[in-house]
Amino acid sequence: MKYIFFVLCWWLAGTLSAQQLKGRVLEAGKDGNVGLPGANVYWLGIPGGVATDVDGNFAIEKRPNGRLIISFVGYASDTLEIGEKDHYIEVVLKAGHQLDEAKVFKRGQTTIMNTKSPVIEQVITGEELCKAACCNLGESFTTNASVDVSYADAVTGAKQIQLLGLNGKYVQMMTENMPNFRGVSVLYGLNYVPGPWMSAISVSKGVGSVTNGYEAIAGQISVDYKKPQGSEKFYVNLYGSDEEMFEFNMNGSIHLNDKWSTALLVHGDWMEKEHSMHHNGFLDMPKKAQYNLMNRWAYKTDAWFVQFGGKFLDENRLGGQKGFREEMRHQIGEGNLYGISINTRRYEGFLKVGYLMPQYENTSMALLVNYTDHDQESYYGGYEYDARQRSLFMNYIYQSIFGNNPNQKFSAGASFNYDNYDEIFGDYKRTENGLVKNTPVNPQREERVGGVFFQYTGTFWTKLTLMAGLRYDYHNLAGGFVTPRFHIAYMPDEMTTLKFSGGKGRRYAAVLAENAYLLASGRSVNVAGQLLSGRPGALKNLDMEEAWNFGVLLNRKFLLFDRLLNINLDYYRTDFSHQVVADNETRPGMINFYNLDGDSYSNCYQVEIRYELIPRFDIMGAYRYNDARITYSAPEGLRRVRTPLQSRYKGLINLSYYTNMKKWQFDFTTQFNGPGRLPGGNQQFESFQLMNAQVTKFFRKWSIYAGCENIGDFTQKHPIIAADAPWSVDFDASRIWGPIHGRKFYVGLRFGFDRD
């Protein structure tokens, strides 16, 4: 109660605010006006100002009979005379105009908290992504306090997200609001989205909207790709590091006429050099080559909006001990080199159709379709794991209002999801003659889920917004179930937002696919009491995972020295009633997957502060505390422990400064990672600090950037257990809690032609 009392007192103390001018900044285009996020709004001759939110809305302290300036890079600035009777304004900025050299450029917020929607959501803009090299989605959260990305093991290069103290498989990953990177692609999907392809990333904590499905437990992350109608005519990004990793990105778009446009996006990255700074005979990261191609089309009229396209990816990873080659894969056992290989070929196709019904005001419908075919061939020493997943997602959404009141809205629709898993798992047994192959296991699974949903959103007294949703789904393996969710937002004034969220999430675990990195060890695999060793046939089905999540957020803004101080406080609680436990510590030499018997929960507390200390010098500081625990079914009985390999706290400081006219930009980030529990007992790993820095020089149509990651050159000592005996049962490369490679220098170039 003392924490609640403190928060309420702090909130009430700041609710007295000056009279404010409200408004909205819009972007003019051929297809109508839309809100422009991140635009700068400030009074002439007075330091400080505000930035528009994701819908283009703003609120600024009113100064009667003053001149208000609206600006955004690449748009013509506008200056308005504001009188005493002006309380609300709308401004339309026109794109394609160069700013006069005598004007001072002013940057808006690059990470935007969505205060208008009841969903707790942050939008990471393209400008925020440019604060680091951001080679792919997995490297896009360096400056984000909520999302952690770390290596899953020391040999494959697989990365996993952590959100609210939970593993990334509990985060619903989406591309443009369509579920993606599930099952087989969970471990490597973060590398499948090149950084320069993204226009923004939306991060929502806790349960999301029921319109996107039932799988979000810890949160939702949705990536927006560059679109044909709004991206550059031509853009190139080149990158190289001292590790001899090279990357090429290119995208271009063509407007065929006033209705049709298309875009082509190309990506390639390569690293062929062998790195082994730990002197254990193993590569710190695998050699890799990836080729990625995407083509998308857009068609738009006053009533119809259609997007469709396809994507192709080919990626090869080869790692393990130095000197290992692909042709050595069948040479296993003592005296042979240990190697890993993951070869992936992936096809995607999508269709989005939207229709604004002119005969009914505020009414529209949309159809979303996404298909993926993911084929992966891999081996980890003597373990072979091949998997093919074919997935189809379809979602129909109808949106309208009740009566003639635009503040009372609803969404209704139906969805269908299909997943086909075809997996082959092969291992070996130890005999007097060495290691001998067992008969491969060929588990196959087909999931079909049909669902319907309804969601209500209402605004009351202009201050309170309520979103309540309910969906029913029928899973061919788990049966029928109901998913309730709610979100509440209360804004007593334009400087204060209080949000609550709660609801349930479910998911069906793909045990081998989501935990394949654990195969980088000498352990045998046991699923629901079934040892996967020479047992052909289907795996036993484990329970569908189910959890409740509740969260609260308080966002408060203060005007301090004529500049905006932004403070976020949030807390989330996740409780599992059903969970698939991946236990690699209670039984020596074995990885066990079984249904939870006992408690499993996570508490996550976070505070985040953003402030422009002096003109053009932004500071962001954050602190997060995780308390995540799980119950293991050990031979001696149930044992509840802290989730292993997870830092108990994280601190983050990000400093960003740009010179007048934005000719130079300097970015520096420090992460403070706390200690955590090591698997197998109560031993702790140490706390550590990571520092990254980048300098960018801007020119008219291009820019160059250079930086250093892990400036302090900190690495986890002995990341591989029994590295000198990789064919033994003691070998383990999956116990990773810190960086596995040290200091890295890089340089890059960005060049582009925008539209006139």
Side-chain angles (χ1 to χ4, degrees):
M1 289 297 296
K2 65 179 182 180
Y3 298 108
I4 298 175
F5 177 76
F6 166 74
V7 169
L8 289 177
C9 290
W10 176 77
W11 169 40
L12 291 172
T15 53
L16 297 176
S17 58
Q19 187 180 10
Q20 294 179 328
L21 174 71
K22 302 178 183 179
R24 192 180 185 201
V25 180
L26 303 167
E27 173 188 6
K30 296 180 181 178
D31 303 313
N33 299 331
V34 295
L36 182 62
N40 309 288
V41 182
Y42 57 99
W43 295 102
L44 180 65
I46 298 176
V50 298
T52 56
D53 65 14
V54 291
D55 297 315
N57 298 297
F58 72 88
I60 191 170
E61 183 182 356
K62 191 172 181 181
R63 300 181 184 275
N65 302 316
R67 299 180 69 185
L68 188 71
I69 298 177
I70 316 291
S71 69
F72 193 76
V73 62
Y75 291 75
S77 298
D78 206 345
T79 303
L80 305 176
E81 296 285 348
I82 303 299
E84 292 185 3
K85 296 182 179 180
D86 292 321
H87 299 287
Y88 182 86
I89 62 172
E90 283 195 355
V91 183
V92 179
L93 295 186
K94 295 182 179 180
H97 294 263
Q98 295 295 326
L99 294 178
D100 191 286
E101 289 296 321
K103 293 180 180 177
V104 177
F105 173 74
K106 188 174 178 63
R107 178 177 62 182
Q109 295 180 0
T110 55
T111 297
I112 304 169
M113 173 62 70
N114 189 347
T115 57
K116 301 301 180 182
S117 169
V119 178
I120 301 173
E121 179 185 45
Q122 270 190 337
V123 177
I124 304 172
T125 67
E127 188 171 356
E128 178 73 18
L129 296 176
C130 289
K131 288 183 177 181
C134 188
C135 295
N136 53 57
L137 179 60
E139 299 179 359
S140 302
F141 304 102
T142 304
T143 60
N144 188 275
S146 300
V147 182
D148 290 333
V149 179
S150 60
Y151 283 100
D153 62 81
V155 292
T156 67
K159 290 184 176 181
Q160 56 185 356
I161 276 180
Q162 282 191 351
L163 182 63
L164 304 187
L166 297 173
N167 187 281
K169 59 189 176 184
Y170 298 113
V171 179
Q172 186 178 29
M173 300 296 300
M174 300 186 292
T175 52
E176 300 184 347
N177 291 318
M178 294 181 288
N180 210 337
F181 308 130
R182 304 162 56 252
V184 181
S185 58
V186 161
L187 292 177
Y188 305 101
L190 296 177
N191 294 302
Y192 298 161
V193 182
W197 287 17
M198 297 183 289
S199 60
I201 304 173
S202 173
V203 179
S204 61
K205 297 181 180 180
V207 293
S209 167
V210 295
T211 61
N212 294 324
Y214 56 84
E215 291 187 323
I217 293 178
Q220 295 177 326
I221 296 178
S222 183
V223 175
D224 278 342
Y225 290 115
K226 291 181 177 178
K227 297 176 175 60
Q229 62 272 28
S231 63
E232 306 92 345
K233 278 186 177 181
F234 179 75
Y235 178 85
V236 170
N237 180 295
L238 303 175
Y239 168 93
S241 73
D242 63 335
E243 300 170 334
E244 297 187 21
M245 175 182 174
F246 302 100
E247 181 176 318
F248 168 81
N249 292 280
M250 184 276 291
N251 63 267
S253 64
I254 301 175
H255 288 188
L256 302 175
N257 51 45
D258 60 348
K259 295 186 174 95
W260 283 96
S261 57
T262 184
L264 179 68
L265 299 93
V266 180
H267 167 86
D269 66 73
W270 309 266
M271 189 173 71
E272 294 298 327
K273 185 176 179 180
E274 293 186 336
H275 297 272
S276 181
M277 65 174 294
H278 293 282
H279 309 293
N280 57 11
F282 276 79
L283 303 185
D284 300 327
M285 63 193 79
K287 295 184 291 184
K288 188 183 78 164
Q290 183 189 114
Y291 303 91
N292 211 334
L293 179 69
M294 182 180 188
N295 179 227
R296 60 185 306 169
W297 293 75
Y299 171 82
K300 188 170 185 180
T301 65
D302 291 338
W304 289 94
F305 185 39
V306 180
Q307 294 185 71
F308 61 91
K311 182 180 176 185
F312 167 76
L313 176 137
D314 184 88
E315 183 184 81
N316 300 308
R317 295 167 179 252
L318 187 69
Q321 289 183 300
K322 292 183 66 175
F324 180 81
R325 300 291 180 266
E326 184 72 42
E327 57 270 18
M328 301 177 183
R329 62 173 296 181
H330 298 295
Q331 302 172 13
I332 63 175
E334 292 296 330
N336 296 297
L337 294 178
Y338 180 98
I340 64 100
S341 174
I342 299 101
N343 297 326
T344 302
R345 183 158 288 197
R346 179 181 174 92
Y347 302 88
E348 294 184 39
F350 72 91
L351 170 68
K352 301 171 69 175
V353 180
Y355 177 59
L356 296 174
M357 304 176 69
Q359 64 271 36
Y360 302 106
E361 189 176 359
N362 295 306
T363 301
S364 64
M365 62 179 69
L367 175 66
L368 309 179
V369 181
N370 191 55
Y371 174 79
T372 62
D373 187 341
H374 186 105
D375 194 359
Q376 175 182 304
E377 295 182 356
S378 59
Y379 58 87
Y380 305 77
Y383 292 111
E384 290 189 1
Y385 177 64
D386 297 338
R388 185 182 183 189
Q389 179 183 354
R390 286 165 287 181
S391 300
L392 174 65
F393 170 79
M394 302 176 66
N395 198 16
Y396 171 78
I397 306 173
Y398 177 84
Q399 296 180 324
S400 190
I401 60 175
F402 289 101
N404 297 317
N405 188 350
N407 291 324
Q408 305 295 314
K409 307 174 185 178
F410 71 89
S411 301
S415 65
F416 176 75
N417 198 85
Y418 172 81
D419 287 295
N420 182 288
Y421 291 88
D422 187 4
E423 301 170 286
I424 298 177
F425 174 78
D427 67 347
Y428 52 85
K429 60 183 177 181
R430 292 174 173 83
T431 68
E432 295 180 356
N433 298 320
L435 297 176
V436 179
K437 279 285 183 183
N438 279 314
T439 304
V441 179
N442 184 209
Q444 293 181 328
R445 187 173 79 252
E446 194 172 78
E447 297 181 41
R448 298 182 300 276
V449 188
V452 293
F453 57 85
F454 182 86
Q455 181 171 278
Y456 163 78
T457 305
T459 302
F460 305 90
W461 311 294
T462 71
K463 296 182 178 181
L464 178 67
T465 302
L466 169 67
M467 176 188 287
L470 188 71
R471 65 177 297 133
Y472 173 81
D473 293 272
Y474 184 82
H475 194 293
N476 65 307
L477 300 178
F481 53 89
V482 175
T483 304
R485 292 176 181 176
F486 72 89
H487 302 269
I488 301 173
Y490 177 61
M491 296 182 64
D493 57 67
E494 287 294 328
M495 304 288 276
T496 308
T497 303
L498 183 63
K499 293 187 178 185
F500 300 91
S501 72
K504 182 179 286 189
R506 299 173 184 260
R507 62 184 301 275
Y508 205 88
V511 173
L512 289 178
E514 296 168 353
N515 299 280
Y517 69 95
L518 294 175
L519 299 178
S521 70
R523 293 183 172 89
S524 56
V525 180
N526 188 302
V527 179
Q530 175 180 324
L531 187 64
L532 298 193
S533 180
R535 290 177 176 266
L539 293 178
K540 291 182 180 180
N541 291 330
L542 294 167
D543 292 343
M544 194 175 199
E545 297 186 287
E546 177 183 332
W548 285 93
N549 181 284
F550 297 94
V552 57
L553 173 140
L554 176 61
N555 174 262
R556 177 64 186 168
K557 302 179 181 69
F558 298 91
L559 198 61
L560 182 64
F561 302 114
D562 288 323
R563 287 184 289 274
L564 204 64
L565 173 67
N566 196 324
I567 302 178
N568 283 329
L569 297 173
D570 65 51
Y571 163 73
Y572 290 87
R573 165 82 178 191
T574 308
D575 265 305
F576 283 91
S577 52
H578 297 282
Q579 186 179 21
V580 174
V581 178
D583 177 1
N584 67 337
E585 56 177 306
T586 60
R587 287 174 170 82
M590 188 173 292
I591 305 168
N592 282 280
F593 299 96
Y594 51 83
N595 293 317
L596 175 71
D597 183 11
D599 294 334
S600 179
Y601 61 84
S602 172
N603 294 305
C604 185
Y605 309 80
Q606 182 170 308
V607 56
E608 181 177 326
I609 301 174
R610 294 178 181 270
Y611 185 62
E612 185 182 14
L613 186 62
I614 60 175
R616 304 184 304 278
F617 182 36
D618 296 327
I619 295 179
M620 188 275 283
Y623 177 84
R624 185 182 73 243
Y625 179 79
N626 295 321
D627 178 22
R629 299 176 187 262
I630 190 169
T631 301
Y632 287 139
S633 298
E636 62 274 14
L638 299 181
R639 183 165 64 97
R640 190 175 69 184
V641 296
R642 281 188 176 272
T643 302
L645 303 175
Q646 181 185 94
S647 293
R648 286 201 295 273
Y649 67 81
K650 176 183 177 180
L652 180 69
I653 296 176
N654 176 250
L655 311 176
S656 182
Y657 175 77
Y658 63 96
T659 61
N660 196 14
M661 294 304 299
K662 200 180 178 182
K663 294 183 178 180
W664 290 88
Q665 180 168 326
F666 305 88
D667 295 285
F668 178 82
T669 303
T670 300
Q671 296 180 11
F672 304 91
N673 298 273
R677 189 181 70 86
L678 290 169
N682 294 317
Q683 290 185 327
Q684 303 280 310
F685 62 80
E686 60 184 301
S687 59
F688 61 96
Q689 179 180 348
L690 296 176
M691 295 179 290
N692 303 322
Q694 179 176 285
V695 179
T696 307
K697 169 62 176 172
F698 295 92
F699 300 91
R700 185 178 177 85
K701 293 186 181 298
W702 58 286
S703 63
I704 56 175
Y705 59 94
C708 179
E709 296 178 357
N710 195 359
I711 296 174
D713 201 28
F714 176 84
T715 59
Q716 177 181 337
K717 297 179 181 179
H718 311 298
I720 299 178
I721 298 174
D724 57 342
W727 302 103
S728 70
V729 70
D730 297 321
F731 173 75
D732 193 351
S734 65
R735 300 194 176 194
I736 299 301
W737 50 264
I740 55 177
H741 55 86
R743 186 185 299 115
K744 178 173 73 174
F745 295 94
Y746 64 86
V747 64
L749 179 146
R750 302 182 181 107
F751 174 81
F753 287 104
D754 289 325
R755 301 202 163 274
D756 295 333

